[in-house]
Amino acid sequence: MKERFCFAAENDKKIKALVIIGSYARTYSQADAYSDLDIIIATEDPESWLYGEEPASWET
């Protein structure tokens, strides 16, 4: 999932940054197989994320 987000962000001009937080970002008590991936997405178009249009458009 992490690789998919990075690939999509590199190819989407509206995404300015991805910030990984939580267990994947910690150096102590790191993520395991049951951890979720917490990502902050800095984008020019936050409404498309808030209303569910993204990441559906990455599929096309």
Side-chain angles (χ1 to χ4, degrees):
M1 187 58 110
K2 195 169 33 171
E3 290 82 13
R4 186 174 177 190
F5 264 104
C6 289
F7 177 79
E10 289 173 353
N11 294 297
D12 187 335
K13 302 283 188 218
K14 292 185 261 180
I15 294 179
K16 300 303 177 188
L18 294 178
V19 180
I20 297 175
I21 59 173
S23 58
Y24 275 92
R26 288 193 299 250
T27 55
Y28 65 92
S29 184
Q30 291 184 328
D32 61 21
Y34 303 102
S35 297
D36 61 348
L37 179 60
D38 303 303
I39 300 176
I40 297 171
I41 302 169
T43 178
E44 291 178 357
D45 187 18
E47 289 82 14
S48 65
W49 287 89
L50 291 172
Y51 300 112
E53 297 166 21
E54 300 292 348
S57 68
W58 293 356
E59 300 289 329
T60 58

